[in-house]
Structure formats: C-alpha cells, structure tokens
Amino acid sequence: MTARPLIGISTYEESGVRWGAWQMDAALLPIGYPRLVQRAGGLAAMLPPDAPEQAAATVARLDGLVVAGGADVEPVRYGAEPDPRTGPPDRARDTWELALIRAALDRRVPLLGICRGLQLLNVALGGTLVQHLDGHRGVLPGVFGRHPVKPVPGTRYADAVPEETSVPAFHHQAVDRLGEGLVPSAYAADGTVEAVELPTGAWVLGVQWHPEMDEDLRVVRHLVQAATPP
C-alpha cells in the first residue's frame, strides 16, 4: 500500500476563543482544510505559528504544504502603503507563513496556497497585491460568494481542472504584479488572476478561492499525488 503523504496546513492564533467551559488563546483552523486533505488521500498536520527560524526544520518533515486563507497580508511586505480598506495586520502570521513558503520552495516541497496563501506566495517571490476589489466575496460578512474561473490551457491547474468552473470565494485582494517565475493559470470573468503557479520544478500552485468549501477535490488530489513518496 502506498504511504499517505503528510501535508502540513498553516494555522493562526486567536485570543479568547470559547468552547465548552473554556475561554483561552487557541491555534485555529477551519475544519474544512484538514478534511479536504484527508478526503484527497493525505494525512493532515496542523502547523501553529512558530519562530521563522523553525520553518526549514518543519517543512523538512513534510511531504507537502498548504498555506491557508485568512487576514490581509500587511502591505509593507510588498512595499506599499496600506489602503484604508485593508484589514489590520497579523505580523507574526505573515512572518511564519512567509518562512514556510520560502522553506518549501527551497526544498522543492509541493505547495498549495489558498486565498491569502496565494497572495503570500506572490509576495514571497517579489510580487505585489491589489488591496481592494469588489465582487469576489459574498454580500454578507462571513458568507462565501461564487463566481466562475477559467483555466489557462497548458498549465498545472488546467491539467487538474480543464474546464471553467464555479468556485467559492471570499476575498477583496488579489494579485497585481506577479512574483518572479509565477504564471497565471486561471482568471475570473473580470480579468482578476485567480490562480498562479510555477510552471517548472516542484508542484507549486496558488488559488484565490476556497476549495475547502467545495466538493471538488481535483486540485488537492494533484497536490497529494505530487507529495506522495515514491
């Protein structure tokens, strides 16, 4: 039997989280992320924030990495002043996840960035972000919208999902200038870059939507396949 690859998923810290009789600080991750990895055939490992110098050792124990969605990336990371509509920074999370991404790229560990994870991947490679756009999240806070994305033929993403599909999305930022080596692999109808990837070398893909909120496992199955030990 082929061993199931170990896929690390970044988490984030929240203070004063309540469950049962407890109210404590917690490392959080919506359950959709580990379930997505498990349903696609991988073993899920949650990665709480740590010192950035621990990222290389952490990634060395993994077969693949998922950088999860979440708060806006601090604009200083890509040399910009904050737009009034950009959310408050989470500097510790930015530092940790950027270190994870760079470690995965250095070690050629398969990597999937989801929403914020795509944006951090782009920033890690020297790209910039559009700090606000409309029409890519639900009308109500905390409610996902849906919109179609169209793959770019010949890309890794198109290999996984060759047709136009409707995806669950909740973001108001997106790729502006592409990071070094990245190519677009899917677009929304308004021209927004919805997926990016490195076309050669290790399997590296970022998607601007939230596959953990959908039933389509194809993208994550390709990650798991790329991460499966020989």
Side-chain angles (χ1 to χ4, degrees), residues 60 83 90 145 182 189 202-203:
D83 184 287
D90 186 341
L182 290 172
W203 194 97

Side-chain angles (χ1 to χ4, degrees), residues 7-191:
I7 310 295
I9 311 167
S10 65
T11 73
Y12 48 96
E13 293 182 2
E14 290 287 345
S15 60
V17 177
R18 289 182 177 273
W19 69 99
W22 306 102
Q23 182 176 355
M24 296 183 181
D25 296 351
L28 290 183
L29 184 68
I31 192 64
Y33 290 98
R35 283 180 176 166
L36 180 69
V37 168
Q38 292 162 349
R39 290 167 59 212
L43 298 173
M46 293 170 59
L47 305 178
D50 202 344
E53 57 267 25
Q54 299 301 320
T58 300
V59 170
R61 307 287 286 272
L62 302 174
D63 299 307
L65 174 66
V66 174
V67 179
D72 293 340
V73 181
E74 188 175 17
V76 71
R77 301 284 180 173
Y78 48 94
E81 293 292 325
D83 184 287
R85 296 164 293 187
T86 294
D90 186 341
R91 297 186 176 100
R93 186 179 179 192
D94 284 354
T95 299
W96 170 238
E97 291 182 337
L98 284 167
L100 286 175
I101 289 169
R102 289 169 177 141
L105 294 174
D106 287 345
R107 297 187 66 89
R108 300 171 67 86
V109 170
L111 166 64
L112 173 64
I114 294 176
C115 195
R116 164 189 163 89
L118 174 150
Q119 295 165 11
L120 275 172
L121 171 62
N122 192 56
V123 169
L125 291 171
T128 62
L129 302 178
V130 175
Q131 291 192 49
H132 183 77
L133 75 166
D134 294 315
H136 287 256
R137 56 183 172 183
V139 176
L140 299 174
V143 177
F144 285 80
R146 294 193 74 95
H147 63 76
V149 297
K150 187 173 183 178
V152 175
T155 60
R156 294 184 193 273
Y157 174 67
D159 286 345
V161 184
E163 78 281 7
E164 182 176 298
T165 57
S166 174
V167 297
F170 193 91
H171 67 98
H172 77 120
Q173 299 196 334
V175 168
D176 186 9
R177 186 183 72 242
L178 281 165
E180 183 178 356
L182 290 172
V183 299
S185 47
Y187 288 94
D190 64 3

Side-chain angles (χ1 to χ4, degrees), residues 7 64-66 110-112 203 219-228:
I7 310 295
L65 174 66
V66 174
L111 166 64
L112 173 64
W203 194 97
V219 166
V220 182
R221 279 181 175 153
H222 274 242
L223 167 69
V224 168
Q225 182 179 11
T228 300

Side-chain angles (χ1 to χ4, degrees), residues 199-219:
T200 59
W203 194 97
V204 175
L205 174 67
V207 296
Q208 190 58 80
W209 61 91
H210 285 264
E212 81 282 2
M213 299 300 296
D214 207 359
E215 296 301 315
D216 192 336
L217 300 178
R218 288 177 289 179
V219 166

